[in-house]
Amino acid sequence: MCIRDRIHSSVLDSVLSDIKGQRQAYSSVKDLYDELEKLKETPFTEMQPRNLQQALYGLQEKMSNFNPAVRHFSAYTTLDTYIKELLANHRFIQDLRSDAILDRHWISLKNQLKMSSWVISSLTIGDIWNSKPVANSKIYHSVIDTAQGQHRLQVQIDQISDFWATHPLETTFFQNKVTLIKGWDSLFEKLEEDMNSLAAMKLSPFYGDTIAATANDWDDKLNRAHQILDSLVDVQRLSLIHIS
């Protein structure tokens, strides 16, 4: 065999070896791509962030067990890079599954991302991944921070609402003649505390129209309650004078 034939044979062997390696690499990653497609189809509302993260870690572990010979092929490196990108989205996925994210925040996120294909009621994991949260982190952070800030304010309002909806007035039967309310000091202290909390909310950057409507409603209720309790104190004082 002449030198030229040997060179051609060597090149051909190299090409055939490369083709064989490529086939082996694509064959190795095919099942993992199938698993990723199944994950993408998972409804977002049914997904548990920790389980999703573990599933991606599981794919990485399977790749670590691949034949070292296939790891330099693009089929392997592309998938490896892609899974790392998906894992980098985890913090956003976790925040989006919190109770703070309401429909209005999803609509805001959809509009800012210009994801016109999104159907909020039937979003999938794939929809979120395809929106590239890391690349669009500024938008994601803005919506999530707003949602969490509004949630904190709403929790404060709910606590105020729960207290005044369920708190019983302390009473005592005075000289077996009349029922009197007691514990006025703590009652007025609580009123002042909650009214101050509602006033402080107005300084928050998250105090938007939605929060303002509920907060103002409770501010009105507490102010009326204060007036009523002031009147009751006067009536009770007169009653005690009359009884004495």
Side-chain angles (χ1 to χ4, degrees), residues 25-41 56 59 62-63 66 73-83 85-86 129:
Y26 279 111
S27 176
S28 298
V29 301
K30 180 182 180 302
D31 289 343
L32 302 192
Y33 272 111
D34 289 342
E35 289 186 48
L36 276 175
E37 287 303 313
K38 289 181 180 177
L39 287 175
K40 285 182 179 181
E41 294 170 2
L56 293 174
L59 294 180
K62 289 178 181 179
M63 292 185 71
F66 281 3
F73 289 105
S74 62
Y76 179 95
T77 57
T78 299
L79 179 59
D80 183 54
T81 299
Y82 183 50
I83 292 176
E85 290 175 354
L86 297 182
W129 283 346

Side-chain angles (χ1 to χ4, degrees), residues 221-240:
K221 288 178 180 178
L222 295 186
N223 273 293
R224 289 198 302 272
H226 203 298
Q227 294 170 6
I228 292 169
L229 291 177
D230 277 336
S231 297
L232 284 174
V233 169
D234 291 337
V235 170
Q236 185 162 293
R237 186 181 298 112
L238 291 173
S239 296
L240 286 173

Side-chain angles (χ1 to χ4, degrees), residues 36-100:
L36 276 175
E37 287 303 313
K38 289 181 180 177
L39 287 175
K40 285 182 179 181
E41 294 170 2
T42 306
F44 189 77
T45 55
E46 296 178 11
M47 176 275 308
Q48 294 299 321
R50 180 173 176 78
N51 292 344
L52 178 62
Q53 185 182 47
Q54 291 302 317
L56 293 174
Y57 282 148
L59 294 180
Q60 283 188 321
E61 185 175 357
K62 289 178 181 179
M63 292 185 71
S64 69
N65 294 324
F66 281 3
N67 186 330
V70 308
R71 295 184 185 178
H72 69 280
F73 289 105
S74 62
Y76 179 95
T77 57
T78 299
L79 179 59
D80 183 54
T81 299
Y82 183 50
I83 292 176
K84 287 176 181 176
E85 290 175 354
L86 297 182
L87 281 167
N89 294 326
H90 181 68
R91 65 183 186 275
F92 297 109
I93 297 284
Q94 203 165 25
D95 287 336
L96 289 173
R97 284 288 284 126
S98 76
D99 293 337

